């Protein structure tokens, strides 16, 4: 059957469709998917053994049966994964849980005010002191002051059950759904550690290949410690994938310049290792030599995956290059598309939640874009000079990768890098040196202090040059088009358009070109409709923010953020999603201090502000304690003392998060019926 010439090129996208159907649309029980899978598989088996024969005129029925089987497999895998996560985490909801044993897996990762310890609950202890062994992934957060040498991979801690907290879903419209993000990693609980609620179990240790990999990473990190902070952070991220020491300025510079992929250990880094080993090893003459070469290549790839801590991005790249290494060295037909899709299929079968991982999407999109377009783009120009030709090859690869990930870059990051070809001319050759140099520095650290210092000096110098170049390009006003917002539908249409153009480039089919033209027309119409719709929209939200008051108003294409925080950036992750949902980018959101409302007069398309009152949809919202005007229908209170002085709360009051519950407030009439944003989430009024 033609279907099986390159089966995984077709089966992998179908498997992804099944996962998407189960996640977004078909809320069917796992038993239903099992029945569908069993039925379609049975028919295919009977057709294969010729027990039943599908006539030639309806051979398309076989394709439908195969597609249905794979779709039901994808849906079944996702449902099974969901049941696993729910079953495991339900053990932590037990009211009789007294304490639990926590096993740290990863190196502590630095956050804004605390350290994150990634690991799992290895045992739970109930009120009767009965222990039960389990394996439930969680993240423990530790204050800066409590981090010490005990918090290392493989160590175990006894933690009070009171430290556990379920991850809350988003409390504001458009806010990043951290609970769903962590659920897809199998985590629904976190633990907040204090000096009096956890104890290091010194007599207990946990060993596994993953923990050994983390310990090796610690030794590599120690070898880079003498370097200056900025260069050390970049080296740790590039060589080992340890990004906790990167500051926001460095991340932003690399993102704006289009070089952020260098700091995320993935296919580029594994590809460099593969090319280096493949170039060094010339063993191809006999079967034994080819076998030795395959073993060395595979061992080298997975050793690098091991020392980087076995992150999913490196594991999938190592899997893909392993297939390529085997295929190219056994003199068998080796289709790169097929190898890429086999690795994707295997990864999705292992964990269907990888499909929703941004890194997974970017990685495979970039690889497919490069192998599809790079040969054609590289032929556009040719230079007799080897260096110039090599530079053009790098630019060609960068162009192909950037075009392939364009829908994801715009949708997830809201920007389009413009100077990435120039940046990649610097960072890609430098990445090869920095990757090799990192291991040279590590080996030199065992030889002696003098050799270690001699190895560090040129290594740090080159990274410093690269950083200076990236910062210069990234801080340029023309480095990227920023604050670009598109809807999921627009991003989907753009992705489909790029896929159709890729197919057209490969098979040169006129029908595919017609479909691409229709898709392009739909893409343009969608953008036009959203632009018109944004201009006549209105919405208002009283946000659920920590210890502050914040109100958002969408007025056509302009947004207004009225708040009492020290700065808008402090609450941006809770508020900007509301504006983004309505097509308003960050640079079109005007900031207004609540304290200035009493002296402010403003009139928009759908609202007005005067004397400390906001009028929206013929309703008045009081937000200032000095306002004496009568309230109508709904009330917003942002000052504790104002609420304390009221004999009773108005019927439809909205209490912002900066008003804490107290006995005096609890006793006030209508308090129970008030909308408390801290507990109930944002109060939203849509058009």
């Amino acid at each position: 059957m033609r279907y099986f010439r390159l089966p995984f090129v077709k089966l992998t996208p179908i498997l992804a469709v099944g996962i998407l159907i189960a996640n977004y649309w078909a809320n069917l029980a796992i038993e239903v998917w099992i029945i569908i899978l069993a039925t379609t598989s049975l028919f295919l088996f009977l057709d294969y053994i010729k027990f039943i024969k599908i006539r030639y005129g309806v051979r398309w029925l076989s394709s439908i049966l195969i597609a249905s089987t794979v779709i039901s497999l994808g849906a079944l895998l996702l449902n099974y994964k969901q049941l696993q996560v729910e079953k495991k985490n339900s053990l932590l909801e037990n009211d009789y849980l007294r304490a639990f044993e926590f096993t740290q897996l990863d190196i502590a990762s630095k956050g804004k005010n605390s350290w994150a310890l990634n690991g799992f609950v290895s045992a739970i202890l109930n009120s009767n002191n009965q222990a039960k062994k389990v394996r439930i992934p969680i993240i423990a957060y530790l204050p800066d002051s409590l981090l010490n040498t005990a918090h290392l991979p493989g160590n175990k801690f006894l933690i009070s059950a009171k430290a556990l907290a379920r991850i809350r879903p988003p409390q504001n419209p458009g806010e990043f759904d951290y609970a769903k993000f962590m659920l897809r990693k199998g985590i629904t609980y976190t633990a907040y550690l204090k000096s009096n609620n956890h104890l290091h179990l010194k007599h207990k240790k946990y060993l596994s290949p993953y923990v050994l990999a983390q310990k090796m990473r610690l030794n590599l990190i120690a070898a880079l410690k003498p370097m200056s902070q900025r260069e050390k952070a970049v080296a740790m991220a590039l060589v080992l994938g340890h990004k906790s020491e990167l500051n926001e300025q460095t991340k932003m510079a690399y993102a704006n310049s289009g070089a952020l992929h260098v700091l995320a250990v993935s296919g580029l880094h594994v590809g460099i290792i593969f090319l280096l080993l493949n170039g060094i090893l010339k063993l191809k003459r006999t079967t034994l030599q080819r076998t030795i070469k395959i073993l060395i290549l595979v061992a080298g790839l997975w050793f690098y995956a091991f020392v980087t801590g076995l992150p999913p991005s490196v594991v999938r790249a190592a899997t893909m290059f392993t297939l390529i290494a085997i295929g190219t060295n056994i003199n068998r037909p080796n289709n790169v598309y097929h190898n890429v899709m086999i690795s994707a299929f295997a990864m999705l079968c292992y964990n269907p939640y990888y499909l929703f991982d941004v890194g997974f999407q970017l990685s495979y999109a970039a690889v497919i874009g490069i192998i599809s377009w790079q040969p054609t783009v590289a032929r556009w120009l040719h230079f007799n000079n080897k260096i110039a030709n090599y530079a053009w090859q790098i630019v060609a690869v960068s162009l192909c990768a950037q075009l392939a990930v364009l829908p994801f870059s715009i949708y997830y990051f809201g920007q389009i890098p413009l100077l990435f070809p120039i940046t990649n001319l610097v960072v890609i050759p430098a990445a090869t040196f920095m990757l090799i140099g990192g291991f040279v520095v590590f080996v030199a650290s065992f030889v002696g202090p003098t050799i270690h210092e001699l190895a560090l000096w040129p290594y740090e110098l080159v990274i410093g040059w690269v950083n200076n170049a990236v910062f210069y390009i990234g801080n340029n006003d023309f480095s990227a088009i920023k604050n670009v917002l598109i809807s999921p539908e627009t991003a989907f249409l753009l992705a489909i358009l790029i896929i159709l153009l890729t197919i057209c480039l490969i098979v040169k089919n006129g029908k595919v070109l017609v479909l691409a033209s229709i898709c392009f027309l739909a893409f343009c119409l969608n953008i036009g409709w959203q632009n018109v719709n944004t201009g006549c929209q209105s919405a208002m939200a009283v946000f659920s923010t920590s210890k502050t008051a914040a109100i958002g108003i969408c007025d056509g294409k302009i947004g207004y953020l009225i708040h009492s925080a020290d700065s808008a950036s402090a609450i941006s992750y809770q508020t900007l999603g509301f504006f983004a949902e309505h097509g308003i980018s960050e640079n079109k959101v005007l900031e207004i201090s609540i304290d200035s409302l009493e002296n402010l007069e403003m009139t928009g398309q759908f609202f007005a502000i005067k004397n400390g009152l906001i009028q929206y949809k013929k309703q008045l919202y009081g937000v200032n304690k000095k306002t004496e005007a009568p309230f109508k229908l709904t009330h917003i209170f942002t000052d504790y003392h104002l609420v304390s002085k009221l004999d009773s709360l108005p019927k439809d009051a909205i209490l912002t998060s900066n008003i804490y519950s107290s006995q005096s407030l609890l006793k006030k009439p209508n308090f129970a019926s008030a909308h408390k944003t801290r507990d109930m989430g944002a109060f939203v009024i849509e058009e």
Side-chain angles (χ1 to χ4, degrees), residues 533 536-540 554 582 606 616-617 684-687:
N533 189 49
C536 58
Q537 69 176 345
S538 66
M540 178 175 172
C554 294
H582 293 83
F606 304 99
Y616 179 79
K617 291 190 177 296
V684 184
I685 307 165
E686 299 278 0
E687 185 179 17

Side-chain angles (χ1 to χ4, degrees), residues 216-411:
M216 183 175 287
R217 287 179 81 201
L218 279 173
N219 291 328
L220 287 165
I221 288 170
L224 300 173
K225 284 289 184 184
M227 296 172 64
S228 59
Q229 179 57 38
R230 191 182 71 171
E231 279 63 46
K232 178 183 67 176
V234 169
M236 287 166 60
L238 189 144
V239 180
L240 303 171
H242 187 73
K243 296 183 284 188
S244 68
E245 296 198 25
L246 288 171
N247 57 38
E248 288 301 318
Q249 291 80 8
T250 303
K251 291 179 184 177
M252 189 61 66
Y254 273 81
N256 291 343
S257 63
L260 191 60
H261 61 93
V262 175
L263 300 182
V265 176
S266 58
L268 171 66
H269 306 71
V270 179
I272 291 171
I273 299 294
F274 173 78
L275 291 174
L276 286 171
L277 291 175
N278 196 48
I280 294 170
L281 299 169
K282 301 295 183 181
L283 307 173
K284 262 193 171 182
R285 294 181 181 179
T286 65
T287 303
L288 179 61
Q289 287 179 341
R290 287 196 295 269
T291 303
I292 293 172
K293 182 176 180 179
I294 291 171
L295 291 173
I296 295 173
L297 280 171
V298 173
L301 292 172
W302 286 99
F303 174 76
Y304 180 66
F306 186 77
V307 298
T308 56
L310 298 170
S313 58
V314 177
V315 170
R316 59 177 169 258
T319 303
M320 184 175 64
F321 279 105
T322 296
L323 294 171
I324 293 172
I326 295 171
T328 54
N329 286 283
I330 61 174
N331 295 327
R332 294 282 181 90
N334 187 38
N335 187 285
V336 182
Y337 288 103
H338 203 218
N339 289 331
V340 171
M341 289 303 180
I342 289 174
S343 68
F345 193 91
M347 295 290 287
L348 291 177
C349 287
Y350 172 71
N351 186 354
Y353 279 133
Y354 283 153
L355 183 63
F356 307 100
D357 181 74
V358 178
F360 181 92
Q361 297 167 12
L362 291 173
S363 177
Y364 279 100
V367 170
I368 292 171
I370 290 169
I371 62 179
S372 299
W373 303 325
Q374 193 274 339
T376 301
V377 174
R379 287 194 294 269
W380 289 355
L381 294 173
H382 180 74
F383 300 91
N384 293 325
N385 184 283
K386 288 185 177 180
I387 296 176
N389 209 44
Y390 175 69
W392 167 243
Q393 296 294 326
I394 293 174
V395 171
V397 169
S398 302
L399 285 170
C400 297
Q402 198 63 47
L403 179 60
V405 302
L406 184 62
F408 305 100
S409 297
I410 299 174
Y411 181 67

